[in-house]
Amino acid sequence: MQVLSTRFAEKRCRSRRLATRVSATLLFAALAVAAAEGDDFAQTVARLDTRDYDEKASVAIELVAMRHDRAGVVLSALMDGQLYRHKDSDQIVIATKADRGFDLLDALTGEDLGHVGRRDVAKIGVNNALRGTLRGLIAQLELNDPDVDARVAAIEAVGISGDESMAEALRSLRDTEPLDEVVAAIDTALALLDLDSSDPSSVLAAIAFLDSDLSAHVRTKLTGLIAESDNEDVRQSARQAIASIEARARRFEFVEHVLFGLSLGSVLVLAAIGLAITFGVMGVINMAHGELIMLGAYTTYTVQSIFPRAIEVSLFVAVPSAFLVSGLVGIGIERSIIRFLYGRPLETLLATFGVSLLLRQSVRSIYSPLNRSVTTPEWMSGLLEIADGLSITYNRLYIFFFALIVFAGLHLLLRKTRLGLHMRAVTQDRETARAMGIRTGRVDALTFGLGSGIAGVAGVALSQLTNVGPNLGQSYIVDSFLVVVFGGVGNLWGTLVSGLSLGVANKFLEPVVGAVLGKIMVLVFIIVFIQHRPRGMFPRRGRAAEA
């Protein structure tokens, strides 16, 4: 039994040694193949140093066939006249002019080789015919780039260039391309190439395919056909296509104005919804509301400064932090100033105006008067392309939904919680609420703190759209009052509807009459509207409204 165990152990050791040898052999073989491929690439690149331009073109074709990572870099350098040979080492380098000499990079590896004089290198020449060949070869390399965006960009460049020699390469790529996005780009590029065809039927088919494409180069091509084509059918079809494209562009422009208007409206709603509580529910004209928004924006900047490596999650920390900071400052204002001024709105206006000056100067002393930039997280950056020619930025889209979430949360708090019940009771009849045992002073402080906290949350949203500065809140305080008054004092639904409506109205007026005149027209409209409906679109009803 012991003998069998010994033999089994010896056999297992031999198996392990054999497996190790096989693995090592395969590894050395792979390294040898890689080294051989590297040597082949280096030798092929070295053959570019010849005076025979036909030979250079053949070598360039070989480099493309090798599919080496550096092939595109080498060919681009050759086309741009930056490929040189180092005279001492015969090394092929990429040279950039600098300080009466050249900065060198190894063409094979990209390694920095330092600075040399002009006489230390010899240029590898290129003529116009070779440049044309290189341009097509580089495009062919880019068409097979593993990165989808790079591949689409290369396909679009081929279509714009009008190089009909690339049509066959595009068709071959289309047969093997699995992604619909890339296939669509290939079809568009082929149609653009067909616009230059001598066959009228091909041109007409291409025009029919492109009659909904909003790209500028498509319009340019179609306009050129109208001016230059000898075929009346082609010219007429191009005119119809341009008319169709312009109609589609107008529809998209309308939708874009609506989307951007809702985005601006959501910012107004966020800025005004806190004021709807402090002004609409409590009857306090809080001129420091804009500065509470500013505090929320500076809180976001501070959070990002403390955690510079956590930008992607900084907003999830900044939102509750801004709510607490602005809310506590609001409670401090109410307890120290506002509580003595209830029922005297003009005096609260003057007092809170003084507070706004104090807060602005405090921020200038702490952060300096200069604007501060808040970094937008990557998940809020970029564009959401709804359709070709219609898109909206992610940050505005997120802010729109964030405003709806804040509105829904506040509405639920006022309707479904004990604090909300007490707030509504104090608003409707303070004396009766006090007689029922409700601590009206505590409710006043929490209500003012809630409205102030929401103003701070609005500041977090605004920090993603503009720079943070001491005067940030002043840009929104007037608009916030307009939204609250227009919608109906104390009515949250009125604040939502009026904010979104004014945002859309501003976006439609700005392109026509300009931003300043557009705001003036909106203001005049609200003044006229309030003359006919003093309580706004959604007036409060009951004893609270009559008081």
Coordinates of all heavy atoms in Angstrom, one line a residue, residues 376-459:
T376 N -19.4 69.2 -12.1 CA -20.6 68.4 -12.4 C -20.2 66.9 -12.5 O -19.3 66.6 -13.2 CB -21.3 68.8 -13.8 OG1 -21.6 70.2 -13.7 CG2 -22.5 67.9 -14.1
P377 N -20.9 66.0 -11.8 CA -20.5 64.6 -11.8 C -20.7 64.1 -13.3 O -21.4 64.6 -14.1 CB -21.6 64.0 -10.9 CG -22.0 65.0 -10.0 CD -22.0 66.3 -10.8
E378 N -19.9 63.0 -13.5 CA -19.9 62.5 -14.9 C -21.3 62.0 -15.3 O -21.7 62.1 -16.5 CB -18.9 61.4 -15.0 CG -18.7 60.8 -16.4 CD -17.6 59.8 -16.5 OE1 -16.8 59.7 -15.5 OE2 -17.5 59.1 -17.5
W379 N -22.1 61.5 -14.4 CA -23.4 60.9 -14.7 C -24.4 62.0 -15.0 O -25.5 61.7 -15.5 CB -23.9 60.0 -13.6 CG -23.9 60.6 -12.2 CD1 -22.9 60.6 -11.3 CD2 -25.0 61.3 -11.6 NE1 -23.3 61.3 -10.1 CE2 -24.5 61.7 -10.3 CE3 -26.3 61.7 -12.0 CZ2 -25.4 62.4 -9.4 CZ3 -27.1 62.4 -11.1 CH2 -26.6 62.7 -9.8
M380 N -24.0 63.3 -14.7 CA -24.9 64.4 -15.1 C -24.4 65.2 -16.3 O -25.0 66.1 -16.7 CB -25.0 65.4 -13.9 CG -25.9 64.9 -12.8 SD -26.2 66.2 -11.5 CE -27.2 67.3 -12.4
S381 N -23.3 64.7 -16.8 CA -22.7 65.4 -18.0 C -23.1 64.8 -19.3 O -23.6 63.7 -19.3 CB -21.1 65.3 -17.9 OG -20.7 65.8 -16.7
G382 N -23.0 65.6 -20.3 CA -23.3 65.1 -21.7 C -24.8 65.4 -22.1 O -25.5 66.1 -21.4
L383 N -25.1 64.8 -23.2 CA -26.4 65.1 -23.8 C -27.2 63.8 -24.0 O -26.7 62.7 -24.3 CB -26.2 65.7 -25.2 CG -25.7 67.1 -25.3 CD1 -25.3 67.4 -26.8 CD2 -26.7 68.1 -24.8
L384 N -28.5 63.9 -23.8 CA -29.4 62.8 -24.1 C -30.0 63.1 -25.5 O -30.8 64.1 -25.7 CB -30.6 62.7 -23.1 CG -31.7 61.7 -23.4 CD1 -31.1 60.3 -23.5 CD2 -32.8 61.8 -22.4
E385 N -29.7 62.3 -26.5 CA -30.1 62.5 -27.9 C -31.5 61.8 -28.0 O -31.6 60.6 -28.1 CB -29.1 62.0 -28.9 CG -29.5 62.4 -30.3 CD -28.4 62.2 -31.3 OE1 -27.3 61.7 -30.9 OE2 -28.6 62.3 -32.5
I386 N -32.5 62.6 -28.1 CA -33.9 62.1 -28.2 C -34.1 61.7 -29.6 O -34.8 60.6 -29.9 CB -34.9 63.2 -27.8 CG1 -34.7 63.6 -26.3 CG2 -36.3 62.6 -27.9 CD1 -35.4 64.8 -25.9
A387 N -33.7 62.4 -30.6 CA -33.8 62.1 -32.0 C -32.6 62.8 -32.7 O -31.9 63.7 -32.1 CB -35.1 62.5 -32.6
D388 N -32.4 62.5 -33.9 CA -31.3 63.1 -34.7 C -31.6 64.6 -34.8 O -32.6 65.0 -35.5 CB -31.2 62.5 -36.1 CG -30.0 63.1 -36.8 OD1 -29.1 63.6 -36.2 OD2 -30.0 63.0 -38.1
G389 N -30.8 65.5 -34.1 CA -31.1 66.9 -34.2 C -31.9 67.4 -33.0 O -32.1 68.6 -32.9
L390 N -32.2 66.5 -32.0 CA -33.0 67.0 -30.9 C -32.4 66.3 -29.6 O -32.3 65.1 -29.5 CB -34.5 66.5 -31.0 CG -35.4 66.8 -29.8 CD1 -35.5 68.3 -29.5 CD2 -36.8 66.2 -30.0
S391 N -31.9 67.1 -28.7 CA -31.2 66.6 -27.5 C -31.4 67.6 -26.4 O -31.8 68.7 -26.6 CB -29.7 66.4 -27.8 OG -29.1 67.6 -28.2
I392 N -31.1 67.1 -25.2 CA -31.2 67.9 -24.0 C -30.1 67.4 -23.0 O -29.7 66.3 -23.0 CB -32.6 67.8 -23.3 CG1 -32.7 68.8 -22.1 CG2 -32.8 66.3 -22.8 CD1 -34.1 68.8 -21.5
T393 N -29.5 68.4 -22.3 CA -28.4 68.1 -21.4 C -28.9 67.3 -20.2 O -30.0 67.5 -19.7 CB -27.7 69.3 -20.9 OG1 -28.7 70.2 -20.3 CG2 -27.0 70.1 -22.1
Y394 N -28.1 66.3 -19.8 CA -28.5 65.5 -18.7 C -28.7 66.3 -17.4 O -29.6 66.0 -16.6 CB -27.4 64.4 -18.4 CG -27.5 63.2 -19.3 CD1 -26.5 62.9 -20.2 CD2 -28.6 62.4 -19.3 CE1 -26.6 61.8 -21.1 CE2 -28.7 61.3 -20.1 CZ -27.7 61.0 -21.0 OH -27.8 59.9 -21.8
N395 N -27.9 67.3 -17.1 CA -28.0 68.0 -15.9 C -29.4 68.7 -15.8 O -30.0 68.7 -14.7 CB -26.9 69.0 -15.7 CG -26.8 70.1 -16.8 OD1 -27.4 69.9 -17.8 ND2 -25.9 71.1 -16.6
R396 N -29.8 69.3 -16.9 CA -31.2 69.9 -16.9 C -32.3 68.9 -16.7 O -33.3 69.2 -16.1 CB -31.4 70.8 -18.1 CG -30.5 72.0 -18.2 CD -30.8 72.9 -19.3 NE -30.1 74.2 -19.2 CZ -30.4 75.2 -18.5 NH1 -31.5 75.2 -17.8 NH2 -29.7 76.3 -18.5
L397 N -32.1 67.7 -17.4 CA -33.1 66.7 -17.2 C -33.2 66.2 -15.8 O -34.3 66.0 -15.3 CB -32.7 65.5 -18.2 CG -33.8 64.4 -18.3 CD1 -35.0 64.9 -19.0 CD2 -33.2 63.3 -19.2
Y398 N -32.0 66.0 -15.2 CA -32.0 65.5 -13.8 C -32.7 66.6 -12.9 O -33.4 66.2 -11.9 CB -30.6 65.2 -13.3 CG -30.1 63.9 -13.8 CD1 -29.0 63.7 -14.6 CD2 -30.8 62.7 -13.4 CE1 -28.5 62.5 -15.0 CE2 -30.3 61.4 -13.8 CZ -29.2 61.4 -14.6 OH -28.8 60.1 -15.0
I399 N -32.4 67.9 -13.1 CA -32.9 68.9 -12.3 C -34.4 69.0 -12.4 O -35.1 69.3 -11.4 CB -32.2 70.3 -12.6 CG1 -30.8 70.3 -12.1 CG2 -33.0 71.4 -12.0 CD1 -30.0 71.5 -12.6
F400 N -34.9 68.8 -13.6 CA -36.4 68.8 -13.8 C -37.1 67.7 -13.0 O -38.0 68.0 -12.2 CB -36.7 68.5 -15.3 CG -38.2 68.4 -15.6 CD1 -39.0 69.4 -15.6 CD2 -38.7 67.1 -15.9 CE1 -40.4 69.3 -15.8 CE2 -40.0 66.9 -16.1 CZ -40.9 68.0 -16.1
F401 N -36.5 66.5 -13.0 CA -37.1 65.4 -12.2 C -36.9 65.6 -10.7 O -37.7 65.3 -9.9 CB -36.6 64.0 -12.7 CG -37.1 63.6 -14.0 CD1 -36.3 63.5 -15.1 CD2 -38.5 63.2 -14.1 CE1 -36.8 63.1 -16.3 CE2 -39.0 62.8 -15.4 CZ -38.1 62.8 -16.5
F402 N -35.7 66.2 -10.4 CA -35.5 66.5 -9.0 C -36.5 67.5 -8.4 O -36.9 67.4 -7.3 CB -34.0 67.1 -8.9 CG -33.6 67.4 -7.5 CD1 -33.5 66.5 -6.5 CD2 -33.3 68.7 -7.1 CE1 -33.1 66.8 -5.2 CE2 -33.0 69.1 -5.9 CZ -32.9 68.1 -4.9
A403 N -36.8 68.5 -9.3 CA -37.8 69.5 -8.8 C -39.2 68.8 -8.6 O -39.9 69.1 -7.6 CB -38.0 70.6 -9.9
L404 N -39.5 67.9 -9.5 CA -40.8 67.2 -9.3 C -40.8 66.3 -8.0 O -41.8 66.3 -7.3 CB -41.1 66.3 -10.5 CG -41.3 67.0 -11.8 CD1 -41.6 66.0 -12.9 CD2 -42.5 68.0 -11.7
I405 N -39.6 65.7 -7.7 CA -39.5 64.9 -6.5 C -39.6 65.8 -5.2 O -40.3 65.4 -4.3 CB -38.2 64.1 -6.5 CG1 -38.2 63.1 -7.6 CG2 -37.9 63.5 -5.1 CD1 -36.8 62.4 -7.8
V406 N -38.9 66.9 -5.3 CA -39.0 67.9 -4.1 C -40.4 68.3 -3.9 O -41.0 68.4 -2.8 CB -38.1 69.1 -4.3 CG1 -38.3 70.1 -3.3 CG2 -36.6 68.6 -4.3
F407 N -41.1 68.7 -5.0 CA -42.5 69.1 -4.9 C -43.4 68.0 -4.3 O -44.2 68.3 -3.5 CB -43.0 69.5 -6.3 CG -44.5 69.9 -6.4 CD1 -44.9 71.2 -6.0 CD2 -45.4 68.9 -6.7 CE1 -46.2 71.5 -6.0 CE2 -46.8 69.3 -6.7 CZ -47.2 70.5 -6.4
A408 N -43.2 66.8 -4.9 CA -44.1 65.7 -4.4 C -43.8 65.4 -2.9 O -44.7 65.2 -2.1 CB -43.8 64.4 -5.2
G409 N -42.5 65.5 -2.5 CA -42.2 65.3 -1.1 C -42.8 66.3 -0.2 O -43.3 66.0 0.9
L410 N -42.7 67.6 -0.6 CA -43.3 68.7 0.2 C -44.8 68.6 0.3 O -45.4 68.8 1.3 CB -42.9 70.0 -0.4 CG -43.3 71.3 0.3 CD1 -42.8 71.3 1.8 CD2 -42.9 72.5 -0.4
H411 N -45.4 68.2 -0.8 CA -46.9 68.1 -0.9 C -47.3 67.0 0.1 O -48.3 67.2 0.9 CB -47.3 67.8 -2.3 CG -48.8 67.7 -2.4 ND1 -49.6 68.8 -2.4 CD2 -49.7 66.6 -2.6 CE1 -50.9 68.4 -2.5 NE2 -50.9 67.1 -2.6
L412 N -46.6 65.9 0.1 CA -46.9 64.8 1.0 C -46.7 65.2 2.4 O -47.5 64.8 3.3 CB -46.1 63.5 0.7 CG -46.4 62.8 -0.6 CD1 -45.4 61.7 -0.9 CD2 -47.9 62.2 -0.6
L413 N -45.6 65.9 2.7 CA -45.4 66.4 4.1 C -46.5 67.2 4.6 O -46.9 67.1 5.7 CB -44.0 67.1 4.1 CG -43.5 67.5 5.5 CD1 -42.0 67.5 5.6 CD2 -44.0 69.0 5.8
L414 N -47.0 68.1 3.7 CA -48.0 69.1 4.2 C -49.4 68.4 4.3 O -50.2 68.8 5.1 CB -48.2 70.2 3.2 CG -47.0 71.2 3.1 CD1 -47.2 72.3 2.1 CD2 -46.8 71.9 4.5
R415 N -49.6 67.3 3.6 CA -50.9 66.7 3.6 C -51.0 65.4 4.4 O -52.1 65.0 4.9 CB -51.3 66.3 2.1 CG -51.5 67.5 1.2 CD -52.7 68.3 1.6 NE -52.9 69.5 0.9 CZ -53.8 70.4 1.1 NH1 -54.7 70.2 2.1 NH2 -53.8 71.5 0.4
K416 N -49.9 64.8 4.7 CA -49.9 63.4 5.3 C -49.2 63.4 6.7 O -49.2 62.3 7.3 CB -49.3 62.4 4.4 CG -50.0 62.3 3.0 CD -51.4 61.8 3.1 CE -52.0 61.7 1.7 NZ -53.5 61.2 1.8
T417 N -48.6 64.4 7.1 CA -47.8 64.4 8.4 C -48.5 65.3 9.4 O -49.2 66.2 9.1 CB -46.4 64.8 8.2 OG1 -46.3 66.2 7.8 CG2 -45.7 64.0 7.1
R418 N -48.1 65.0 10.7 CA -48.6 65.8 11.8 C -48.1 67.3 11.7 O -48.9 68.2 11.9 CB -48.1 65.2 13.1 CG -48.7 65.8 14.4 CD -48.1 65.1 15.6 NE -48.7 65.6 16.8 CZ -49.9 65.2 17.3 NH1 -50.6 64.3 16.7 NH2 -50.4 65.7 18.4
L419 N -46.8 67.4 11.3 CA -46.3 68.8 11.1 C -47.1 69.6 10.0 O -47.4 70.7 10.2 CB -44.8 68.7 10.7 CG -44.2 70.1 10.4 CD1 -44.2 71.0 11.6 CD2 -42.7 69.9 9.9
G420 N -47.4 68.9 8.9 CA -48.2 69.5 7.9 C -49.5 69.9 8.3 O -50.0 71.0 8.0
L421 N -50.2 69.1 9.2 CA -51.5 69.4 9.7 C -51.4 70.6 10.6 O -52.3 71.5 10.5 CB -52.0 68.2 10.5 CG -53.4 68.4 11.2 CD1 -54.5 68.6 10.1 CD2 -53.7 67.1 12.0
H422 N -50.4 70.7 11.4 CA -50.2 71.8 12.3 C -49.9 73.1 11.5 O -50.4 74.2 11.9 CB -49.1 71.5 13.3 CG -49.5 70.5 14.4 ND1 -48.6 70.1 15.3 CD2 -50.6 69.9 14.6 CE1 -49.2 69.2 16.1 NE2 -50.4 69.1 15.7
M423 N -49.1 73.0 10.5 CA -48.8 74.1 9.7 C -50.1 74.7 9.0 O -50.3 75.9 9.0 CB -47.8 73.8 8.6 CG -46.4 73.5 9.1 SD -45.3 72.8 7.8 CE -45.4 74.0 6.5
R424 N -50.9 73.8 8.5 CA -52.2 74.3 7.9 C -53.1 74.9 8.9 O -53.8 75.9 8.6 CB -52.8 73.1 7.1 CG -52.1 72.8 5.8 CD -52.8 71.7 5.0 NE -52.6 70.4 5.6 CZ -53.5 69.6 5.9 NH1 -54.8 69.9 5.8 NH2 -53.3 68.4 6.4
A425 N -53.1 74.3 10.1 CA -54.0 74.8 11.2 C -53.6 76.2 11.6 O -54.4 77.1 11.7 CB -54.0 73.8 12.4
V426 N -52.3 76.4 11.8 CA -51.8 77.7 12.2 C -52.0 78.7 11.1 O -52.3 79.9 11.4 CB -50.3 77.6 12.6 CG1 -49.7 79.0 12.8 CG2 -50.1 76.8 13.8
T427 N -51.9 78.3 9.9 CA -52.1 79.2 8.8 C -53.6 79.7 8.7 O -53.8 80.9 8.5 CB -51.7 78.5 7.4 OG1 -50.4 78.2 7.5 CG2 -52.0 79.5 6.2
Q428 N -54.5 78.8 8.9 CA -55.9 79.1 8.8 C -56.4 79.9 10.0 O -57.2 80.9 9.8 CB -56.7 77.8 8.7 CG -56.5 77.1 7.4 CD -57.2 75.7 7.3 OE1 -58.0 75.4 8.2 NE2 -56.8 74.9 6.3
D429 N -56.0 79.6 11.2 CA -56.5 80.3 12.4 C -55.5 80.1 13.5 O -55.5 79.1 14.3 CB -57.9 79.8 12.8 CG -58.5 80.8 13.8 OD1 -57.8 81.4 14.6 OD2 -59.8 80.9 13.7
R430 N -54.6 81.1 13.7 CA -53.5 80.9 14.7 C -54.0 80.8 16.1 O -53.6 80.0 16.9 CB -52.5 82.1 14.5 CG -51.4 82.1 15.6 CD -50.5 83.3 15.3 NE -49.8 83.2 14.0 CZ -48.7 82.5 13.8 NH1 -48.0 82.0 14.9 NH2 -48.1 82.4 12.6
E431 N -55.0 81.7 16.5 CA -55.5 81.7 17.8 C -56.2 80.4 18.2 O -56.0 79.8 19.3 CB -56.4 82.9 18.0 CG -55.8 84.3 17.8 CD -54.6 84.4 18.8 OE1 -54.7 83.9 19.9 OE2 -53.6 85.0 18.4
T432 N -57.1 79.9 17.3 CA -57.8 78.6 17.5 C -56.8 77.5 17.6 O -56.9 76.6 18.5 CB -58.8 78.4 16.4 OG1 -59.7 79.5 16.3 CG2 -59.5 77.1 16.7
A433 N -55.7 77.5 16.8 CA -54.7 76.4 16.8 C -54.0 76.5 18.2 O -53.7 75.4 18.8 CB -53.7 76.6 15.7
R434 N -53.7 77.7 18.7 CA -53.0 77.8 20.0 C -54.0 77.3 21.1 O -53.5 76.6 22.0 CB -52.6 79.2 20.2 CG -51.8 79.4 21.5 CD -51.5 80.9 21.8 NE -50.5 81.3 20.9 CZ -50.7 82.3 20.0 NH1 -51.9 82.8 19.9 NH2 -49.7 82.7 19.2
A435 N -55.2 77.6 21.0 CA -56.2 77.1 22.0 C -56.4 75.6 21.9 O -56.7 75.0 23.0 CB -57.6 77.8 21.7
M436 N -56.1 75.0 20.8 CA -56.2 73.5 20.7 C -54.9 72.8 21.2 O -54.8 71.6 21.1 CB -56.5 73.1 19.2 CG -57.8 73.6 18.7 SD -59.2 72.8 19.5 CE -59.0 71.1 18.9
G437 N -54.0 73.6 21.6 CA -52.8 73.0 22.2 C -51.6 72.9 21.2 O -50.5 72.4 21.6
I438 N -51.7 73.5 20.1 CA -50.6 73.5 19.1 C -49.6 74.5 19.5 O -50.0 75.7 19.7 CB -51.1 73.7 17.6 CG1 -52.1 72.5 17.2 CG2 -50.0 73.8 16.7 CD1 -52.7 72.7 15.9
R439 N -48.4 74.2 19.5 CA -47.3 75.1 19.9 C -47.0 76.0 18.6 O -46.1 75.6 17.8 CB -46.1 74.4 20.4 CG -46.4 73.6 21.7 CD -45.2 72.7 22.0 NE -44.0 73.4 22.2 CZ -42.8 72.7 22.4 NH1 -42.8 71.4 22.4 NH2 -41.7 73.4 22.6
T440 N -47.7 77.1 18.5 CA -47.6 77.9 17.3 C -46.2 78.4 17.0 O -45.7 78.5 15.9 CB -48.6 79.0 17.3 OG1 -48.4 79.8 18.5 CG2 -50.0 78.5 17.3
G441 N -45.5 78.8 18.1 CA -44.1 79.3 17.9 C -43.2 78.2 17.3 O -42.4 78.5 16.5
R442 N -43.3 77.0 17.8 CA -42.5 75.9 17.3 C -42.9 75.6 15.8 O -42.0 75.4 15.0 CB -42.7 74.6 18.1 CG -42.0 73.4 17.7 CD -42.2 72.3 18.7 NE -41.5 71.0 18.2 CZ -42.1 70.2 17.4 NH1 -43.4 70.4 17.0 NH2 -41.5 69.1 17.1
V443 N -44.2 75.7 15.5 CA -44.6 75.4 14.1 C -44.1 76.5 13.2 O -43.6 76.2 12.1 CB -46.1 75.3 14.1 CG1 -46.6 75.3 12.6 CG2 -46.6 74.1 14.8
D444 N -44.1 77.8 13.7 CA -43.6 78.9 12.9 C -42.1 78.6 12.6 O -41.7 78.8 11.4 CB -43.7 80.2 13.6 CG -45.2 80.6 13.7 OD1 -46.0 80.2 12.8 OD2 -45.5 81.4 14.6
A445 N -41.3 78.3 13.6 CA -39.9 78.1 13.4 C -39.6 76.9 12.4 O -38.8 77.1 11.5 CB -39.2 77.8 14.7
L446 N -40.3 75.8 12.6 CA -40.1 74.7 11.7 C -40.6 75.0 10.2 O -40.0 74.5 9.3 CB -40.9 73.4 12.2 CG -40.3 72.9 13.5 CD1 -41.2 71.7 14.0 CD2 -38.9 72.4 13.3
T447 N -41.7 75.7 10.1 CA -42.2 76.1 8.8 C -41.2 77.0 8.1 O -40.9 76.7 6.9 CB -43.5 76.8 8.9 OG1 -44.5 76.0 9.6 CG2 -44.1 77.2 7.5
F448 N -40.7 78.0 8.8 CA -39.7 78.9 8.1 C -38.4 78.1 7.8 O -37.8 78.3 6.8 CB -39.4 80.0 9.1 CG -38.8 81.2 8.4 CD1 -39.6 82.2 7.8 CD2 -37.4 81.3 8.2 CE1 -39.0 83.3 7.2 CE2 -36.8 82.4 7.6 CZ -37.7 83.4 7.0
G449 N -38.0 77.2 8.7 CA -36.8 76.3 8.5 C -37.0 75.4 7.3 O -36.1 75.2 6.5
L450 N -38.3 74.9 7.1 CA -38.5 74.0 6.0 C -38.4 74.8 4.7 O -37.8 74.3 3.7 CB -39.9 73.4 6.1 CG -40.4 72.5 5.0 CD1 -39.6 71.3 4.8 CD2 -41.9 72.2 5.2
G451 N -39.0 76.0 4.6 CA -38.9 76.8 3.4 C -37.5 77.2 3.1 O -37.1 77.2 1.9
S452 N -36.7 77.5 4.1 CA -35.3 77.9 4.0 C -34.5 76.7 3.5 O -33.6 76.8 2.6 CB -34.8 78.4 5.3 OG -35.5 79.6 5.7
G453 N -34.8 75.5 4.1 CA -34.1 74.3 3.7 C -34.3 73.9 2.2 O -33.4 73.5 1.5
I454 N -35.5 74.1 1.8 CA -35.8 73.8 0.3 C -35.1 74.8 -0.6 O -34.6 74.5 -1.7 CB -37.3 73.8 0.1 CG1 -38.0 72.7 0.8 CG2 -37.7 73.7 -1.4 CD1 -39.5 72.7 0.8
A455 N -35.0 76.1 -0.1 CA -34.2 77.1 -0.8 C -32.7 76.6 -0.9 O -32.1 76.7 -2.0 CB -34.2 78.4 -0.1
G456 N -32.2 76.0 0.1 CA -30.8 75.5 0.0 C -30.7 74.4 -1.0 O -29.7 74.3 -1.7
V457 N -31.7 73.5 -1.0 CA -31.7 72.4 -2.0 C -31.8 73.0 -3.4 O -31.1 72.4 -4.3 CB -32.9 71.5 -1.7 CG1 -33.1 70.5 -2.9 CG2 -32.8 70.7 -0.4
A458 N -32.5 74.1 -3.6 CA -32.5 74.7 -4.9 C -31.1 75.2 -5.3 O -30.7 75.2 -6.4 CB -33.5 75.9 -4.9
G459 N -30.4 75.7 -4.3 CA -29.0 76.1 -4.5 C -28.1 75.0 -5.0 O -27.2 75.2 -5.9

